[in-house]
Every structure is written in structure tokens, then in C-alpha cells.
Amino acid sequence: MRKKIVAGNWKMNTTIDEGLQLAREVNRLVDNDPGDVLVIVAPPFSHLSEIKKVLSVVALSAQNCASENRGAFTGEVSAEMIKSTGAEYVIIGHSERRTLFREEDEILLKKVKLALESDLIPIFCCGEKLSEREQGKHFITVQDQLASTLFMLEDKNFRQIIIAYEPVWAIGTGLNATPEQAQEMHEFIRRLIGQHFNTDISDAASILYGGSCKPSNAKELFDNPDVDGGLIGGASLNANDFFAIVKSI
Ligand code: PEP
């Protein structure tokens, strides 16, 4: 059975005190009512070490890492540094990084490799823009994103990765993919993995959905056979909403 996962991407929100309060609350809710879902929170870099101290049943992720490990890269934070905070996961290739910070596939592949070398598990995001969906190019867009990044990895490394399908038009817009749209893309991604690697690997791969997922729509999205959980943005900033999403699996 593949792992069910719900991860909260806090983006550039919360001060350290606010973040600590949110992390404590999420940890308490999960601790009081544990299930078989892996729950992850991804606060800003500046909060990681402090938040690690208040988590016992919730795992910790960064939202990005540098594409180099050390050196004269002012303002960057490497995978090795993230690992040293106690985090175990790192989000790579979020659409905000791709669009606002112009991160391309070549850079993203370097980040994935460095994360794996530092023993961090990448949560790798892919997904099409609205114009690509409107032109019927959503499958080929996602296929190309995977072909030039994750499909360049060796089997043993690919097995570590968590994939998040996040249609860009659904992120932070309040407009989620329908359960049918999510399922058909997740099934497509799983089939690609099976063709490129093998079906043992595709059966075991956790593929999360992200994009305006909230307590009111999480269950219908997660009920799909190829949707193994969610990457949650806005709704992860409220502990009760986030936990309601966790409980929707
Ligand atoms: C995200 O940023 O990964 C995301 C899914 O955001 P939201 O849930 O707010 O759409």
C-alpha cells in the first residue's frame, strides 16, 4: 500500500511565534487523533529549527532549496543546511518558484539530486497553466516536466520522491480541479511512471493533489484511486481546516 500524505505549504506566512503556535496546534490535533496519514508542515526556512522542537507526530519540510551546496550564493539555503535543521522533506518545483523565480527543469533536477544526496525527500510539483489546459496541452506539459526532471533519475532515487500534481490555475484561486480532472491526470502520471520505470515503482508512488483543496472538497478529491493525499496552501494556515483535510482521507 502506498503512503497517504497531507502536506501544508505555509509559503511566506507567519512570524516565528505564529508559526510555533500553528505547528503546536497541528501536532496536538494529530497526536490526539492519529491515523495512517503522514502529516507534513512546510514553514519558511527561518522557522525550521524552532518548529522542529515542537513536532512529535508531524514531519517537517522546507519549501525550497538551493541548486548548489555551498559557497558564494548570498541568500540561498542548501539542502544540507535544511537537513541540519531536522527537516526531512523539501518542496521542489512549486509553480511560484517556476514562475516568479524562473526556475527551470535543469535547475530543478539539480535541486532534486542535492536534496537526495542530503537525505531529504523531495516533494516535487508539476502542473499545467490555464492556457495549456485550454489548448488541451495539459498532459503533454506534465509529461515534459517529468521527462526532463524526475525521469532522469535512477530507479532507486526516483522511489524516494513524492509527486504533487498542482494545476497552476487552481493554486490560490479558489478554483480546484474537479475530482475527474484530478483522477485522470494522476492516473496519467502513474502510467508514465510505470512505462518509464516499472509498475512496482508506479504502484508505490505517492501522488498528491494541490490547488484550492479545502475541508469542503478534500474528500471528493481524495476518494479517487490515484490521489494519495494533498499539498495544501491557504487552508494549511488554519490548524482546524488543515486537520479536517487530513481527516478527509
Ligand atoms: C500550494 O501552494 O501548493 C497550494 C496548493 O495552494 P492553495 O492550496 O492555496 O491553492
Side-chain angles (χ1 to χ4, degrees), residues 9 11 94 96 166 170-172 210-213 231-234:
N9 173 15
K11 311 195 187 192
H94 190 279
E96 288 151 19
E166 298 207 307
I171 297 178
S212 297
C213 184
L231 178 56
I232 317 300

Side-chain angles (χ1 to χ4, degrees), residues 171-247:
I171 297 178
T173 59
L175 182 72
N176 59 285
T178 64
E180 295 73 27
Q181 287 171 327
Q183 170 56 25
E184 68 171 1
M185 184 59 86
H186 283 230
E187 194 182 347
F188 174 73
I189 293 171
R190 199 176 304 285
R191 197 166 53 242
L192 289 179
I193 299 169
Q195 285 162 0
H196 185 81
F197 295 102
N198 60 54
T199 49
D200 280 352
I201 294 183
S202 62
D203 284 348
S206 291
I207 308 176
L208 316 184
Y209 168 78
S212 297
C213 184
K214 37 190 182 273
S216 57
N217 62 19
K219 185 160 170 36
E220 58 181 22
L221 288 161
F222 296 166
D223 274 352
N224 286 296
D226 288 296
V227 178
D228 305 307
L231 178 56
I232 317 300
S236 71
L237 294 171
N238 177 297
N240 290 319
D241 285 353
F242 184 58
F243 189 61
I245 294 172
V246 171
K247 284 290 146 189

Side-chain angles (χ1 to χ4, degrees), residues 11-226:
K11 311 195 187 192
M12 197 173 72
N13 290 297
T14 73
T15 61
I16 292 201
D17 283 349
E18 290 163 350
L20 280 169
Q21 202 179 330
L22 178 56
R24 274 197 197 96
E25 190 55 14
V26 171
N27 194 76
R28 187 186 66 77
L29 289 165
V30 176
D31 201 20
N32 284 348
D33 186 5
D36 57 3
V37 181
L38 169 62
V39 181
I40 304 172
V41 291
F45 282 138
S46 48
H47 304 13
L48 291 173
S49 302
E50 283 303 299
I51 286 185
K52 178 67 185 173
K53 295 178 194 157
V54 303
L55 298 178
S56 57
V57 289
V58 170
L60 186 64
S61 176
Q63 299 172 15
N64 178 32
C65 66
S67 57
E68 303 290 338
N69 233 350
R70 270 174 195 232
F73 302 100
T74 303
E76 289 294 273
V77 179
S78 71
E80 183 184 38
M81 293 169 190
I82 292 166
K83 182 68 185 178
S84 72
T85 69
E88 302 153 85
Y89 298 84
V90 57
I91 298 171
I92 295 177
H94 190 279
S95 75
E96 288 151 19
R97 301 293 321 170
R98 291 178 188 259
T99 310
L100 302 173
F101 302 95
R102 301 203 169 73
E103 293 186 2
E104 308 226 325
D105 291 340
E106 197 183 333
I107 290 284
L108 298 177
L109 180 59
K110 280 179 87 178
K111 292 186 177 203
V112 166
K113 287 182 175 169
L114 286 170
L116 290 167
E117 276 168 27
S118 290
D119 206 17
L120 287 172
I121 297 178
I123 302 173
F124 186 85
C125 304
C126 57
E128 80 285 358
K129 297 187 185 116
L130 183 59
S131 57
E132 289 160 336
R133 179 160 282 266
E134 284 172 345
Q135 292 167 51
K137 293 186 180 157
H138 41 298
F139 291 117
I140 191 70
T141 299
V142 170
Q143 182 169 357
D144 286 349
Q145 287 172 342
L146 295 176
S148 50
T149 55
L150 301 186
F151 290 177
M152 308 294 277
L153 298 173
E154 289 175 35
D155 296 22
K156 68 174 191 331
N157 288 330
F158 180 84
R159 282 176 193 275
Q160 310 291 313
I161 311 272
I162 299 165
I163 295 178
Y165 167 59
E166 298 207 307
V168 180
W169 47 271
I171 297 178
T173 59
L175 182 72
N176 59 285
T178 64
E180 295 73 27
Q181 287 171 327
Q183 170 56 25
E184 68 171 1
M185 184 59 86
H186 283 230
E187 194 182 347
F188 174 73
I189 293 171
R190 199 176 304 285
R191 197 166 53 242
L192 289 179
I193 299 169
Q195 285 162 0
H196 185 81
F197 295 102
N198 60 54
T199 49
D200 280 352
I201 294 183
S202 62
D203 284 348
S206 291
I207 308 176
L208 316 184
Y209 168 78
S212 297
C213 184
K214 37 190 182 273
S216 57
N217 62 19
K219 185 160 170 36
E220 58 181 22
L221 288 161
F222 296 166
D223 274 352
N224 286 296
D226 288 296

